[in-house]
Amino acid sequence: EQANGSVMLKCEDTVVLATVVMGKDTKNNPGFFNLTVEYMERFYAAGMILGGQYNKREGRPSDKAILASRVIDRTIRPLFSHHIKNAVQVIVTVISVGKMDPTILAVNAVSLALAVSPIPWAGPVGAAQASIAKGESEVKINNYIPYTGEPQYDLDLLVCAKDGNVVMIEASATQVSEPTLTSAVTHVLGSISQIEAWQKEIVSKEGKDKLDIPKPDEDQAMIVLFKKEVEADIEANLFGENSKARIATIEEKWATELETLYGKEVENRAELIMRGKDYVDIVINEIVHKAAIIEDKRVDLRKMDEVRALYAKAGGVSSVLHGTGIFYRGQTHVLSVVSLGGPDTLLEIEGMEVRGKKRFMHHYNFPPYSVGETGRLGGINRREMGHGFLAEKALAGVIPEKENFPYTIRVVSESTSSNGSTSQGSICGATIALMDAGVPILAPVAGIAMGAMINEKDPTKYKILTDIQGPEDHHGDMDFKIAGTRNGVTALQLDIKVGGIPPKVLFDALEGAKTARLQILDVMEKEIAKPRADISPNAPKILVIKINPSQIGLVIGGGGKTVNMIRDKTGAEINIEDDGTVFVTGKNGAAEAAKKIIEAMTHDWKVGDVTEGLVMKILEVGAIVALSEYADGMVHISELAPFRVQKVTDVLKEGVRVPVKVVAIDKERGRVSLSIKEANKDFFKNPYPPVAPKPSTPAA
């Protein structure tokens, strides 16, 4: 009731509550548009009680919640006037999870809450998903498939749009062609138009009058000073190599001029100085737009479709590491490192919406030194998580299936120098590292960031920029990240700074990105053309055994006694799945030793099998022969030799190794009948073969 705007939105039993509040004043303003978005998961939304034994409250936001917050933020932020200095806070609470994706519902709910509120905002916007489920071909709208550990879609495309123009895109795909993507975007825009029209109908009935927060009047004294002291320097130094450093020097000079202009006696001195600094951005924005659109001129004087200098290096960092990749694109440098582990290192996810196990992870770090600054270290921020997950989505579609490569795979990308799209550099570095580690990826993946300069008054006049960096990223209208292989796209992410991007701009950017992607892949594949044949000797070896599900209890033993014995004896890690698949992980022969024990323990003896056994016990009617430490059988006296044997002890003693053949199996009683004479009819020419030493662990 006391929020500026609130909406409870329901679809397919998914329910979200969106609230929006704007601060009553501009106190404690950080100097920029202060928007915060929080996406709150509640376990009750899925009818579950999660958490540890001693704490049942929700803890820190999950990865899913943080990524959903970013999607909402990136959608609504461009539609605010950034001269507003009042804080704006958006909170989404997921009340119930049904058959509709709560993230998509949340975007529409936030749009409606803002649109009916008095907060100045240029919405509404609509959000919808276009997808192709794994193994299918039909594009469906809002087909929600909860994540359970493996990719569920061949195409998962989330689009947010306003009046036919695209505001935000987030997508993952399995090498989908550009025509398929453009068709899917066009298809989903029709559904979004219906959602927008529905919202506008509600706003016409329920909407409140918007607050009037006018832009501050221009300070003429400041403008005169700027034109006199700074403007000519900016125009002279903005273009060419190392312009970023030159402009930074000019901005420092301008900051000093502002300190002098607004003396200490001025009441709103801090605000005026901040407005003066913002004015530099406005001027540079106009200059770079005019140069690109009218003169085909970029800040660093590259051609519009030119990619910066490229460098790729596979391995060579340290033999301890399982796989490394180094990738440079201009001043953007990334080091990626792969670690391989067994199934016991899977990441278990137990959340409100997302449940399952992950076997492939990509994490991204952006330390302050990468941009020549000092700053706080520790923890992870939303930007790092978002960039890491974007690269993970780009690579997930080429990761081999568990049956072909049962390893848990973690890639960490370190941004060591940043000047434009380290997330796409991470995709390239991670691909190189994966191939260096011997991971049999389906195809190499490369990423590139595409930009656009659009005429504000006539959006049909625009220029597409390949491989944006520096001022093009900061002052451009679009940051469109596109990753893929030679065969198609694997991930998309669109962020904008204007009210919307015409679809044609995006489609042109897709084609430009394909050309750049192939150029980058040429450089990467020249360094390493395909995954190495063998994994690093420092990585654990994983051996796979298939046993009868009925034997799972035999391998585990009562209370895990048997499987723990195998672990202690060999040092290997053992994971058993419900279908009887056993993964044995270890180094330095541990996996091989454990596999040998399990195979002996679960060997399915069949009639006709021939092997060698150890005589464990002499009976009046025959002998018990150990086939292994875990199985034995009986040789009846009539099956000892091709001649009549009066007494078993006439030909056998305990501790003798003898050839045997399986002649019958009684599965109900678990008995195996053996024959020595059928295995080797001439074995008893010498009635007493050499006695072998007794085993240290006799068979039961």
Side-chain angles (χ1 to χ4, degrees):
E1 184 175 319
Q2 299 184 55
N4 294 120
S6 64
V7 170
M8 187 174 282
L9 195 56
K10 176 180 178 180
C11 181
E12 297 281 354
D13 281 331
T14 298
V15 182
V16 299
L17 169 66
T19 62
V20 295
V21 175
M22 185 170 71
K24 295 178 175 59
D25 53 47
T26 61
K27 291 180 180 178
N28 302 317
N29 182 268
F32 51 81
F33 175 57
N34 187 8
L35 170 68
T36 57
V37 177
E38 304 292 344
Y39 179 94
M40 311 298 292
E41 294 180 322
R42 299 290 187 242
F43 293 145
Y44 62 69
M48 296 184 294
I49 301 176
L50 298 180
Q53 182 178 355
Y54 301 106
N55 184 12
K56 296 298 181 183
R57 288 191 65 88
E58 288 81 1
R60 68 176 183 84
S62 69
D63 292 359
K64 168 70 177 178
I66 292 173
L67 296 169
S69 298
R70 280 176 54 84
V71 164
I72 298 167
D73 187 303
R74 290 161 44 212
T75 300
I76 65 175
R77 185 178 290 272
L79 302 178
F80 282 99
S81 293
H82 286 205
H83 72 275
I84 297 173
K85 300 305 179 185
N86 305 62
V88 176
Q89 185 174 49
V90 174
I91 298 177
V92 174
T93 306
V94 182
I95 306 296
S96 172
V97 178
K99 296 180 181 179
M100 176 70 182
D101 187 341
T103 299
I104 295 172
L105 203 61
V107 176
N108 290 304
V110 169
S111 169
L112 195 47
L114 282 168
V116 299
S117 78
I119 300 172
W121 186 65
V125 298
Q129 177 219 37
S131 65
I132 303 174
K134 205 79 174 171
E136 298 182 5
S137 57
E138 181 185 358
V139 177
K140 296 180 180 178
I141 302 298
N142 291 337
N143 180 35
Y144 177 50
I145 306 176
Y147 179 83
T148 58
E150 294 292 334
Q152 304 294 315
Y153 300 99
D154 282 331
L155 171 64
D156 182 10
L157 172 69
L158 170 59
V159 178
C160 303
K162 174 181 179 291
D163 299 329
N165 291 327
V166 179
V167 177
M168 197 283 305
I169 284 179
E170 189 79 26
S172 60
T174 55
Q175 304 185 65
V176 170
S177 69
E178 282 76 8
T180 299
L181 280 171
T182 57
S183 175
V185 170
T186 303
H187 184 36
V188 78
L189 284 174
S191 297
I192 291 174
S193 296
Q194 296 176 4
I195 296 170
E196 286 183 88
W198 174 74
Q199 291 188 49
K200 289 175 181 177
E201 183 180 343
I202 295 173
V203 173
S204 68
K205 298 175 183 177
E206 305 290 340
K208 301 180 179 68
D209 293 335
K210 296 294 184 183
L211 295 171
D212 183 20
I213 305 179
K215 288 185 177 181
D217 294 331
E218 291 183 341
D219 187 326
Q220 294 302 318
M222 182 266 293
I223 293 175
V224 169
L225 180 65
F226 179 85
K227 290 183 177 297
K228 177 183 177 183
E229 300 293 340
V230 178
E231 187 172 48
D233 286 343
I234 285 181
E235 291 184 349
N237 289 277
L238 182 58
F239 297 92
E241 293 184 4
N242 299 320
S243 63
K244 182 180 178 181
R246 296 195 300 272
I247 293 298
T249 301
I250 295 169
E251 289 174 337
E252 290 175 8
K253 173 188 173 183
W254 176 232
T256 302
E257 297 284 355
L258 290 171
E259 294 279 354
T260 304
L261 176 63
Y262 302 115
K264 294 183 179 180
E265 69 280 359
V266 177
E267 183 178 350
N268 56 341
R269 181 171 183 259
E271 181 183 341
L272 290 169
I273 289 174
M274 185 59 63
R275 284 167 53 189
K277 292 179 179 179
D278 290 344
Y279 188 72
V280 175
D281 268 0
I282 295 171
V283 172
I284 294 177
N285 185 69
E286 292 175 351
I287 294 172
V288 297
H289 272 73
K290 179 181 177 182
I293 296 170
I294 298 176
E295 305 172 33
D296 271 350
K297 184 179 179 182
R298 298 181 68 169
V299 171
D300 60 359
L301 304 180
R302 278 183 294 146
K303 296 177 182 178
M304 290 292 172
D305 61 354
E306 183 178 349
V307 179
R308 288 172 291 168
L310 301 170
Y311 171 79
K313 173 66 177 173
V317 176
S318 169
S319 61
V320 173
L321 304 176
H322 298 169
T324 58
I326 295 173
F327 179 77
Y328 292 180
R329 190 181 61 249
Q331 287 184 311
T332 294
H333 300 172
V334 175
L335 164 67
S336 296
V337 181
V338 169
S339 299
L340 301 176
D344 56 301
T345 57
L346 287 167
L347 175 63
E348 293 196 30
I349 305 171
E350 189 181 51
M352 175 204 73
E353 177 191 353
V354 179
R355 300 176 67 81
K357 296 182 178 181
K358 285 179 69 173
R359 53 181 287 267
F360 170 63
M361 295 148 278
H362 177 276
H363 297 144
Y364 164 96
N365 294 316
F366 190 84
Y369 69 76
S370 66
V371 287
E373 297 177 358
T374 61
R376 178 180 173 274
L377 283 176
I380 181 171
N381 57 44
R382 291 185 174 187
R383 179 184 179 278
E384 286 180 315
M385 180 169 288
H387 281 17
F389 191 68
L390 173 60
E392 183 176 303
K393 289 200 299 185
L395 295 163
V398 300
I399 295 297
E401 294 183 353
K402 181 173 68 174
E403 291 74 18
N404 300 324
F405 194 76
Y407 287 85
T408 300
I409 307 163
R410 181 178 184 239
V411 188
V412 178
S413 292
E414 307 280 358
S415 171
T416 59
S417 175
S418 175
N419 187 10
S421 196
T422 47
S423 68
Q424 302 307 285
S426 296
I427 293 168
C428 301
T431 295
I432 296 168
L434 286 166
M435 292 196 290
D436 181 55
V439 179
I441 58 174
L442 304 183
V445 183
I448 192 72
M450 306 295 291
M453 298 288 178
I454 304 174
N455 187 309
E456 184 178 3
K457 296 179 180 178
D458 183 2
T460 62
K461 296 179 180 178
Y462 62 88
K463 287 293 170 66
I464 301 295
L465 285 68
T466 296
D467 184 20
I468 57 173
Q469 51 94 31
E472 296 170 342
D473 189 5
H474 183 69
H475 297 284
D477 300 317
M478 176 181 85
D479 181 4
F480 194 15
K481 301 179 177 72
I482 304 165
T485 67
R486 293 188 180 276
N487 300 319
V489 174
T490 59
L492 300 175
Q493 188 178 89
L494 172 68
D495 293 322
I496 65 171
K497 297 184 179 73
V498 292
I501 299 291
K504 186 179 185 307
V505 176
L506 301 181
F507 301 158
D508 288 351
L510 275 173
E511 290 302 318
K514 182 177 181 180
T515 301
R517 186 169 77 240
L518 296 178
Q519 181 182 342
I520 296 169
L521 286 169
D522 285 342
V523 173
M524 292 167 56
E525 291 174 0
K526 186 177 180 181
E527 168 62 15
I528 181 166
K530 59 183 180 180
R532 302 200 190 282
D534 299 310
I535 65 171
S536 166
N538 290 312
K541 179 174 283 189
I542 300 180
L543 303 177
V544 182
I545 313 165
K546 193 75 173 180
I547 65 173
N548 192 312
S550 65
Q551 296 176 313
I552 293 175
L554 172 67
V555 177
I556 294 176
K561 181 178 180 180
T562 305
V563 74
N564 287 332
M565 177 275 292
I566 300 172
R567 289 181 178 130
D568 294 341
K569 188 173 182 179
T570 64
E573 185 58 46
I574 300 162
N575 298 85
I576 307 174
E577 300 196 343
D578 293 340
D579 65 352
T581 303
V582 182
F583 297 99
V584 184
T585 309
K587 296 183 179 180
N588 304 319
E592 289 85 349
K595 180 184 178 186
K596 187 175 180 181
I597 292 172
I598 295 171
E599 285 180 334
M601 184 183 300
T602 61
H603 185 82
D604 187 13
W605 294 99
K606 294 181 174 60
V607 174
D609 286 351
V610 177
T611 186
E612 188 179 77
L614 191 69
V615 178
M616 303 301 298
K617 188 175 183 180
I618 301 296
L619 304 174
E620 189 173 331
V621 294
I624 302 297
V625 176
L627 302 174
S628 69
E629 286 189 53
Y630 312 98
D632 57 30
M634 179 178 174
V635 181
H636 190 267
I637 191 170
S638 63
E639 293 293 332
L640 290 173
F643 50 85
R644 181 178 176 82
V645 177
Q646 295 291 335
K647 293 172 63 178
V648 178
T649 52
D650 288 344
V651 293
L652 279 184
K653 287 184 179 180
E654 292 182 2
V656 174
R657 301 200 71 85
V658 293
V660 290
K661 180 178 180 179
V662 179
V663 293
I665 296 176
D666 185 345
K667 290 190 176 181
E668 289 186 6
R669 298 184 179 183
R671 294 178 179 177
V672 179
S673 297
L674 305 172
S675 174
I676 295 176
K677 68 180 183 181
E678 289 197 25
N680 184 351
K681 65 179 182 178
D682 298 325
F683 184 72
F684 286 115
K685 284 183 178 180
N686 181 348
Y688 296 104
V691 177
K694 291 186 178 182
S696 57
T697 307

